[in-house]
């Protein structure tokens, strides 16, 4: 769910509000956490409108795209952006962005 040059997530919601979901069986797509819009996944899937915090399976095509951008990314801690190599925002910043994007906060 989106990630890239800014060093922090945008302060305001960027698009229409996302739905927040908790579906363990849904396949989750990856987005760059710092991307302006979280609508397009690394695999190219567009029009994403759900942030699923409970998903246990990640889209294989998203993982392959990330691995192609940054070989070895999956075996590291995953805290470095595969897009630009900078440190990803911490969990607190991501949670704040999710709250803004879903109107949960």
């Amino acid at each position: 769910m989106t990630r890239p040059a800014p060093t922090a997530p945008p302060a305001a919601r960027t698009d229409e509000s996302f739905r927040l979901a908790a579906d363990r069986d849904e396949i989750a797509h990856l987005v760059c956490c710092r991307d302006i819009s979280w609508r397009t996944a690394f695999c190219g899937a567009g029009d994403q409108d759900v942030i699923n915090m409970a998903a246990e399976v990640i889209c294989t095509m998203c993982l392959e795209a990330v691995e192609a951008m940054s070989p070895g990314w999956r075996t590291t801690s995953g805290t470095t952006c595969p897009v630009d190599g900078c440190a990803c925002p911490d969990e607190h910043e991501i949670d704040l962005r999710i709250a803004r994007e879903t109107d949960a906060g």
Side-chain angles (χ1 to χ4, degrees), residues 38-60:
W38 284 354
R39 296 283 175 196
T40 303
F42 281 118
C43 70
D47 295 328
Q48 303 298 307
D49 64 352
V50 175
I51 296 174
N52 186 355
M53 300 299 292
E56 295 181 357
V57 177
I58 298 173
C59 169
T60 303

Side-chain angles (χ1 to χ4, degrees), residues 27-30 41-45 57-69 74:
I27 296 174
H29 291 277
L30 296 177
F42 281 118
C43 70
V57 177
I58 298 173
C59 169
T60 303
M61 289 175 53
C62 283
L63 291 173
E64 288 174 356
V66 168
E67 187 68 18
M69 285 188 274
R74 289 192 289 179

Side-chain angles (χ1 to χ4, degrees), residues 3 6-10 32-35 38 78-81 84 86-95 97:
R3 110 196 355 110
T7 58
C32 177
C33 56
R34 288 182 286 159
D35 201 356
W38 284 354
T79 59
T80 302
C81 180
D84 63 12
C86 294
C88 293
D90 63 24
E91 287 294 320
H92 178 70
E93 288 298 318
I94 299 297
D95 289 344
R97 169 105 187 244

